[in-house]
Each structure stands twice: as structure tokens, then as C-alpha cells.
Amino acid sequence: MFYRITRPLKYIGLGFMVIIVLALAIAPFSKRLIEQWSRSDVEARSRLVYNAIQNPVVRAIADSDASRLSSIFESVALDERILAVGLCDEGGRLLNPTKLMPATFSCKKVARSEAESFSTIFNDGRRILVGAFPIVERNQKSYLVILTDLSFIDARSGQAQAFIVAALAGVAIAIAGVAAIFVVVMLRGWMSSLRRAIEEIRSGAISSATSHDRSAIDIQIKKLLGAIEVGQETIRSGQIDWSPGTLQELLHKILPGAEVIVISNREPYIHNHANGAISLQTPASGLVSALEPVIRACGGTWIAHGSGSADRETVGRDDKIGVPPNAPSYALRRIWISEEEQDGYYYGFSNEGLWPLCHIAFVRPQFRESDWQQYEQINERFADAVTQEARTEDPIVLVQDYHFALAPRMIRQRLPRATIVTFWHIPWPNAETFSICPWKERIIDGLLGSTILGFHTQFHCNNFFETVDRFVESRIDREQATVTSGGHETMVRAYPISIEWPPAALAGQPSVDACRSQIRQSLGCAPGIKLAVGIERFDYTKGILDRMKAVDDLLIREPTWKRRLIFVQVAAPTRSKLTSYSNLQSEALTLADDINSRHGDDSYQPIRLLIRHHEAAEVFKLFRAADVCIVSSLHDGMNLVAKEFVAARDDNNGVLVLSSFTGASRELSEALIVNPYNTQEMSKALDVALRMPGDEQQERMRLMRQQVQEWNVYRWAGRMLIDAAASRQRRRIFDISEANHMR
Ligand code: G6P
């Protein structure tokens, strides 16, 4: 702005200088010019007079009539410019001079030439032009002299100079005036823009509000901006101990009064009939174990499929129950799904379609139109439930996993102002792989209803961008990590999921030594035997067969491990209705029998396959008792078992053998990282793990524990909520500003 004013001012100054220089240059020049003009004017006039009186003068001379000559001369001298007239004879005498003939005039100074001549004399300080015109009569030459006062020329050139100076001064004054007006106008504009800018900084984009409104809006927007700052400040400082308290405090600061609603397929608490009573089960689900501590910290409502046999009996009339049952801190709203719907939505499209599609485990996905329809219908049902549960028009809705790819768009249609954070807990494949899904565009569009879409790793985010780019019309900003489609922007970010720290299941655990001896006792083996464990759902993506083959390979290559090593595989039955899962179970049983028969006998079984659900406390006891934990997933979004094993080992002992195809391998680099498809590599890693000296184990475990502690599940949720809050505040600021511009 300043530049815009100073630049024209520079030109105006320059113009001024030019005018002054012009005035100085023109002044002497103009004087000379006027003098020349005036003099030639006077000469012409004298010549005119001469021509006019020549004949009468000649006749008067011829007649020697002195009085006629005098009267001719007197009448000529009446002209106010002509001072005097006379005749100079050949002898240089002055004849018949008129009355005002100056005394200083002498005919002797008149040039005696054939033609007219002009000269200048001075009298009383005045300049006088003397014009001498030859007159010849009877062979006698005389000169008619006409004297003209030149002092009028000085007056005239003085006037002209004054006029020029006045004219230039006028121009200069005019320029100065224009410049002054220009500066005033510019300064005014500048001041008002400055005022506006200050106003904008103070009150966002609001400029047309009344002063009362403006101060109210000021306060509102300052609060919103402040809240964003708090969130970002929190995330910037890496030193925060993320805990339920931190998360609650953060929520209070950045999302005061916000309503949190979670939707997931699997519920956190399942009520089942067992032995004539109702038992409570917490499912084997990475999603549930990650999200439950978060919602406990935030409060709110969790909407999930009521899958337990006693679920209907345990809810109120609104299908809700306060949980955790011993100290309720949030509401669980159960959604009822018929068996037929379950076959299509859950077993069919979710687990026979999307699950194998997104995991590279070389199991062919099945796509059936009827499954897709059920999937759509159940997504609608959950979206409706969100609308029913929402007490405000802009709740924070946390949509979980591949069961609800369509729900974000459906919720957005029902609650346009909701902040929808969708987390995809499994990998996202590359575009080529995803392209085989017949409803790929609908799935992508459904997810793009989210405000934020999270994956475990940047690699999966990149795959998603690539897929969007290939199949839907959108604008992808890779720098900002956003996709804009149909005017709506979705942030796509990596949020590596984790576990609570310290884990609740660790509380009340016996010492590591006690766990070791209790577990060995329950397995019926000697106290000094080495124990390797694998614990997960019985899923073909987990590489359960592959790790059993690695144990087999180790026992073949290093038979000294026989009777010194037991591998315990805890496998919770899951999705058993599907052939790919039931086949896996029978294959695993057969393989375990085969290995046990080749390497064992009645007193020694190297593979112990425990196919049943284990509660978290049992799992942690097993982790604490183990020397090695094997996580050999063929493909896994994150894998929380690896993190739980690390969390369980507060003695810093134990070795983790971890598949490079898990998201966790990006964070737990002190584990022994293996390719589960390479049996020999895995068996060698197992050997190394079993022989690893205590101090090396401690060193590695300490670093991994530090990582899991710092990057715990509260941080995972906190980062997403901070981004959600920032996006929500930005939208609110935009809304306020929009409303204001509409006034
Ligand atoms: C994975 C999925 C979860 C799912 C869990 C257990 O971790 O990402 O969404 O809950 O497996 O599977 P299930 O089908 O028993 O819920």
C-alpha cells in the first residue's frame, strides 16, 4: 500500500523539478525573443512611416519649404511610440527636429549608407532606436531620422517574463493540487484498508456487522481460534503423557460440550447365556480394545450390533445399557440384525468381500449383489441410529472400520453439520486390487462423506489417494492430504492405533516369575522349558499355519530344542461360519497333530493349540510367562497383539518376532522382523529369539515399551480429535463469516 502512494509521489516531485528547470531556462530566452520581436516591429513601423512621408518630404525639400517639412515631422511625432523625427543633411547637420529630439542625438553618428540603417543611442538611461532612411533630391543626399523610444520593450519583456513565470507557477500549483488530492485519497484508502485489516484480524472476515454484533462475534471467534491453538500446541509438545485425563482435558478445551457417538459392528460388552446364567464377554477385537478406553475417557454413546444371546434382556427400553457394567461411564446402544441380514452384511460383503479384498492373503474376495444390498441396508440402520442418538446437530461421530464404508455419507446427509471421523482399521489395497470391487465408486463416495478419514499408515493413505484418483471425480491435494468431492472436503491422515497405557489387564497380574511357573504348571511342563506364544483370532490373515511350520522347521534343523521348547497358540474362534475360516481351523489342527506326532510323544507335545476365547487377564498372564511372542500376520493394518505383549512385559524381558507386513513393524523396530512367507527365515529368527541374552532382550524391550507408552491409544484418539476440532472450528468460523456477509 505504502508503495502505491510513494510511487506516484515520486513522479509528481519529478514533474515539479522539470517545471523549475523550464522556468529558469525559458526566462532569459523569452526576454531575448520579445526584444527581437519588438525591435523588428519598431523597425517595420519606422519603415512604414518613411514610406508614407517620403514623397511629401522630398517635395518639401525640393520646394525648400522648411515649415511644411516641420509640420510633416510634427504630425509623425504625434505617434506615441515615435519620440522624434528630423533630417540630417550631407554635412551632418540636423534640420527640422521635432520638439522632443534628444539632446544627445547627433547626425554625425548616423551611418551614411545607401540603404536604411538602424542604431541605438541612450538618453536619460532610456534606449532609443534611430532609423536613418536616405532621401535623394537634386543630387543631394540627406537622411530622414526617426527616433523611437525602446523602453516599452523592457516593459513588454518584463511583462512576458512575469506572464511565463506566472503560467509555469500556475501549472506547478495545479500539479501540486492534484498531487495533494491524490495523496489524500490514497491515504484515506490506505487508512481504511488498514482499519479493515485490523478489524479482520480481530474479528475474522466479519466487516459489516454492527459494533455490538462485532464484539460478540469477536469473542466467539477468538474462542474458536484459541481452541484450535490449544489443540495444536498440545500436539506440538511431544512431552505430553497421554492418559485418559489428558484426553478428557483436551476434549474439554477443544471440544467443550461436544457429543461423542461411536459406531462399530462389534460391541465392547457382549451378554451371553451360559450354564443357565448371563455371562459378560469382552470380544477379541483390536478395534474394541483400542476404542473402549477412549470412549470411557470421553463418555458418549457407542452404537454396535447386539450380537450376544442375552443382549436383548440386558438393555433398557431404548435398547441401551450403561457400561462398563461395574462403573458405567458411557451408553452402549445395541442394534438388532437378523440372521439373514447378518449373512449378507457381516459374513457376506464385509468378511467375504472387503476383508480379503483389503488384505493381501491371497484369498479370493466374493462379491454378491444380495450381500451388497444387506450391507447398504445395515449401514442405513446405523446412520438412522446416529440421528436418533444425537442430541445436537453437530456431534462428533467416530465411524469404525470396513463394516461401515457407506455410513459416513449417509450420516452426512442426515446431519450435515456433524464432524465425522472414520477410521479404517484394516489395510487399504492399491488401486489395481481395489478395482475388482463392483461397488468401488459407492464405497469411495461413502467414505468421502467423512470429515476425517484415518488409516494406520501413510502407505495406506497413499493407496487410498491413488484409488480415489482412478475411480471418482475429485480434487486431491496431496500436500494438505485432502480430497474434495462434490464440494465436500475430507482430510486423509495416518493415525497409528495403539493400546491403553498402562493396560488395564496388567493390573493385579502376579509377578513375571509367578506367571511363568503358573502357566508352565497349567501346561504340565517343566519350569525351565522355553515358551513361545501366539495369540489372536483364528484368522487366515494372521499367519498361524506359517508360524507352526517355522516351529516345525526349527525342531528339524535344531533337534536340541525338542523337549526344551513349547509353542502355545491361543486362537479365538471367529467368523467360523465362513469356509475360509473353518478350513483354517481344521488345517491348523491337522498341522499341529502332524508336528506333534513327528517331534513329540505322550509326554511332550511341542505345539499346544488352544482354540477358545481368552479374556484379557489370561492373555496378559500368558504374555508374561512367555520367552518369545510370535506375530506372523501375512498382512495386518496395525496388530495390537504385538503392542500388548510389549505392554505386558514390565520386567523388560521377552522377545518379539514380528511380521514385516504389519503396521506395528513400522514402530517396533527392535523386534526381530521377519517375512512370514519365508519359513526358514522365521525359524532362524525364533532360534535367535530363544537364545537371546538377557541384556539384549532388556535393551530391545525397553525401547519398544517407551514407543508404545508414548504412542498409546489416547494419543491416537487425541490426534484425531484435535484434527476434528480444528476442522469443526474452521467450519464454524466460516459459517459465522458467511452469515455476516449475507446481512
Ligand atoms: C479386526 C477388525 C475389527 C473386528 C475384529 C474382530 O480387528 O478390524 O473391526 O472387530 O477384527 O473381528 P469380528 O469379525 O469378530 O468383529
Side-chain angles (χ1 to χ4, degrees):
M1 183 56 164
F2 184 68
Y3 183 64
R4 263 163 48 201
I5 294 179
T6 53
R7 194 162 58 166
L9 277 179
K10 239 193 271 170
Y11 292 130
I12 289 167
L14 208 67
F16 241 91
M17 303 251 303
V18 170
I19 287 168
I20 290 166
V21 169
L22 265 180
L24 290 172
I26 285 175
F29 178 72
S30 69
K31 193 180 173 195
R32 237 184 353 263
L33 201 69
I34 287 165
E35 224 174 87
Q36 272 171 10
W37 281 343
S38 304
R39 190 174 165 133
S40 59
D41 189 32
V42 169
E43 286 175 1
R45 185 183 282 263
S46 302
R47 203 172 291 119
L48 210 65
V49 169
Y50 160 71
N51 289 334
I53 65 172
Q54 184 183 15
N55 289 337
V57 167
V58 169
R59 273 199 303 276
I61 294 171
D63 297 345
S64 304
D65 189 344
S67 69
R68 191 147 43 104
L69 206 55
S70 291
S71 96
I72 294 169
F73 288 169
E74 286 300 344
S75 66
V76 170
L78 286 177
D79 187 306
E80 60 171 339
R81 298 267 171 87
I82 296 177
L83 181 65
V85 183
L87 194 70
C88 290
D89 68 7
E90 263 192 317
R93 281 174 302 157
L94 178 64
L95 306 174
N96 306 96
T98 53
K99 282 183 220 117
L100 295 178
M101 181 63 78
T104 50
F105 175 74
S106 160
C107 284
K108 301 239 167 48
K109 289 177 186 163
V110 173
R112 290 164 184 280
S113 63
E114 292 302 311
E116 62 182 30
S117 68
F118 292 94
S119 59
T120 312
I121 62 164
F122 288 88
N123 183 52
D124 289 342
R126 292 193 299 175
R127 282 192 305 147
I128 293 162
L129 181 76
V130 179
F133 301 90
I135 290 185
V136 180
E137 176 53 33
R138 286 190 219 128
N139 292 329
Q140 289 208 352
K141 195 187 249 178
S142 55
Y143 292 89
L144 175 69
V145 289
I146 303 171
L147 280 73
T148 313
D149 188 352
L150 289 181
S151 56
F152 82 94
I153 294 179
D154 294 335
R156 186 188 271 184
S157 71
Q159 273 172 0
Q161 259 183 321
F163 176 76
I164 288 169
V165 170
L168 288 175
V171 172
I173 287 166
I175 290 177
V178 169
I181 291 168
F182 171 80
V183 169
V184 168
V185 169
M186 289 300 280
L187 273 176
R188 270 200 192 155
W190 187 40
M191 290 305 287
S192 73
S193 331
L194 191 67
R195 240 179 271 125
R196 227 177 12 249
I198 291 168
E199 197 64 26
E200 277 170 14
I201 289 166
R202 280 200 301 120
S203 64
I206 302 142
S207 55
S208 59
T210 64
S211 62
H212 174 260
D213 287 345
R214 198 175 290 144
S215 62
I217 290 161
D218 269 3
I219 294 166
Q220 209 177 341
I221 289 182
K222 264 185 203 154
K223 260 195 202 164
L224 297 177
L225 290 172
I228 292 176
E229 254 318 290
V230 168
Q232 287 176 356
E233 199 40 56
T234 309
I235 207 105
R236 270 196 293 269
S237 68
Q239 297 309 312
I240 286 179
D241 279 341
W242 286 88
S243 65
T246 322
L247 197 60
Q248 270 163 353
E249 203 182 312
L250 182 77
L251 266 172
H252 181 68
K253 275 188 196 154
I254 63 171
L255 293 164
E259 195 190 354
V260 178
I261 300 174
V262 175
I263 70 167
S264 75
N265 173 68
R266 188 60 63 198
E267 57 183 338
Y269 295 95
I270 307 174
H271 288 98
N272 281 317
H273 287 293
N275 309 322
I278 291 178
S279 72
L280 185 69
Q281 184 196 332
T282 53
S285 158
L287 176 158
V288 169
S289 58
L291 212 63
E292 216 268 334
V294 174
I295 184 94
R296 255 193 274 129
C298 305
T301 308
W302 186 328
I303 304 170
H305 171 210
S307 57
S309 54
D311 272 356
R312 283 181 195 261
E313 293 156 52
T314 42
V315 291
R317 272 156 49 131
D318 52 2
D319 295 335
K320 288 204 263 189
I321 176 175
V323 283
N326 49 354
S329 58
Y330 66 94
L332 170 61
R333 156 87 193 267
R334 286 175 172 151
I335 300 291
W336 314 117
I337 295 176
S338 72
E339 207 172 318
E340 189 195 346
E341 288 168 337
Q342 181 74 342
D343 284 347
Y345 143 77
Y346 172 77
Y347 288 110
F349 191 69
S350 297
N351 287 315
E352 281 197 298
L354 288 176
W355 182 268
L357 178 71
C358 292
H359 287 92
I360 310 170
F362 307 98
V363 171
R364 184 191 163 121
Q366 304 294 328
F367 297 117
R368 290 177 286 263
E369 177 69 34
S370 55
D371 292 349
W372 170 250
Q373 280 166 10
Q374 300 284 14
Y375 184 84
E376 255 187 312
Q377 197 174 307
I378 299 299
N379 271 248
E380 293 271 4
R381 190 170 301 163
F382 275 79
D384 286 340
V386 170
T387 324
Q388 288 154 17
E389 293 302 327
R391 283 175 285 102
T392 55
E393 57 164 5
D394 60 351
I396 307 260
V397 186
L398 306 177
V399 178
Q400 304 304 309
D401 229 348
Y402 61 100
H403 310 91
F404 298 112
L406 302 179
R409 173 70 64 210
M410 293 168 175
I411 297 167
R412 169 82 48 224
Q413 280 156 358
R414 288 159 174 79
L415 294 166
R417 297 175 58 76
T419 302
I420 305 170
V421 182
T422 303
F423 195 79
W424 195 260
H425 289 255
I426 62 175
W428 187 274
N430 64 34
E432 192 67 18
T433 304
F434 196 76
S435 72
I436 67 168
C437 176
W439 302 284
K440 52 184 173 290
E441 293 90 355
R442 288 286 315 282
I443 289 173
I444 298 166
D445 177 67
L447 289 170
L448 291 179
S450 315
T451 313
I452 296 175
L453 174 59
F455 295 96
H456 291 298
T457 66
Q458 189 55 45
F459 183 68
H460 298 148
C461 295
N462 295 347
N463 279 350
F464 182 76
F465 282 131
E466 190 201 329
T467 313
V468 173
D469 205 10
R470 279 273 289 276
F471 303 117
V472 300
E473 203 167 300
S474 61
R475 182 160 50 80
I476 298 174
D477 184 335
R478 284 173 198 265
E479 199 185 349
Q480 297 295 322
T482 56
V483 177
T484 307
S485 157
H488 173 74
E489 187 183 84
T490 303
M491 280 194 250
V492 181
R493 300 273 150 88
Y495 304 98
I497 205 169
S498 195
I499 57 168
E500 61 180 333
W501 191 280
L506 197 56
Q509 285 285 340
S511 69
V512 166
D513 284 344
C515 291
R516 286 181 75 89
S517 56
Q518 281 174 27
I519 291 289
R520 279 165 181 74
Q521 206 176 353
S522 70
L523 290 169
C525 56
I529 209 156
K530 290 276 185 185
L531 190 65
V533 297
I535 303 178
E536 54 264 289
R537 289 180 306 108
F538 223 139
D539 195 296
Y540 56 79
T541 60
K542 302 294 178 188
I544 294 170
L545 299 180
D546 304 83
R547 76 187 66 148
M548 282 161 57
K549 286 176 191 163
V551 173
D552 184 18
D553 186 75
L554 179 65
L555 295 177
I556 294 168
R557 283 190 308 105
E558 299 283 345
T560 50
W561 282 116
K562 279 185 190 170
R563 299 187 183 281
R564 290 174 53 223
L565 167 68
I566 284 186
F567 171 61
V568 176
Q569 175 66 56
V570 170
T574 180
R575 309 170 194 169
S576 313
K577 212 173 177 179
L578 300 177
T579 20
S580 46
Y581 285 82
S582 49
N583 285 349
L584 172 70
Q585 284 198 29
S586 34
E587 265 186 74
L589 284 167
T590 311
L591 182 60
D593 282 349
D594 174 43
I595 295 170
N596 285 339
S597 63
R598 282 189 286 109
H599 301 289
D601 53 30
D602 286 349
S603 62
Y604 173 65
Q605 301 277 288
I607 306 274
R608 302 293 178 89
L609 192 50
L610 308 177
I611 306 179
R612 73 167 174 85
H613 174 77
H614 285 59
E615 285 298 329
E618 291 179 87
V619 170
F620 267 64
K621 197 175 202 178
L622 199 53
F623 282 147
R624 287 165 75 75
D627 296 289
V628 178
C629 174
I630 310 178
V631 174
S632 56
S633 306
L634 304 180
H635 201 192
D636 221 329
M638 174 53 70
N639 193 292
L640 294 182
V641 168
K643 292 187 176 180
E644 280 169 352
F645 173 66
V646 167
R649 299 314 298 258
D650 54 2
D651 63 333
N652 290 328
N653 278 316
V655 183
L656 176 64
V657 175
L658 180 60
S659 160
S660 61
F661 305 122
T662 59
S665 69
R666 310 285 192 283
E667 292 178 70
L668 303 178
S669 42
E670 290 75 26
L672 299 182
I673 308 290
V674 294
N675 170 5
Y677 289 90
N678 186 339
T679 308
Q680 282 70 40
E681 184 187 308
M682 201 156 41
S683 86
K684 278 182 195 155
L686 182 56
D687 194 20
V688 170
L690 290 166
R691 294 177 198 276
M692 189 179 283
D695 51 355
E696 186 181 342
Q697 289 185 34
Q698 301 243 338
E699 200 55 36
R700 288 172 182 262
M701 188 56 84
R702 223 189 313 271
L703 288 168
M704 290 193 286
R705 283 175 64 77
Q706 200 178 323
Q707 169 72 24
V708 179
Q709 178 175 6
E710 279 175 21
W711 288 82
N712 62 28
V713 77
Y714 303 109
R715 188 178 191 137
W716 169 75
R719 289 179 65 228
M720 278 194 290
L721 290 174
I722 286 169
D723 286 349
S727 138
R728 191 174 154 102
Q729 315 298 51
R730 268 195 293 274
R731 214 216 34 245
R732 284 186 172 185
I733 292 169
F734 180 77
D735 286 353
I736 295 169
S737 151
E738 277 284 285
N740 244 333
H741 287 305
M742 301 285 284
R743 288 181 189 191

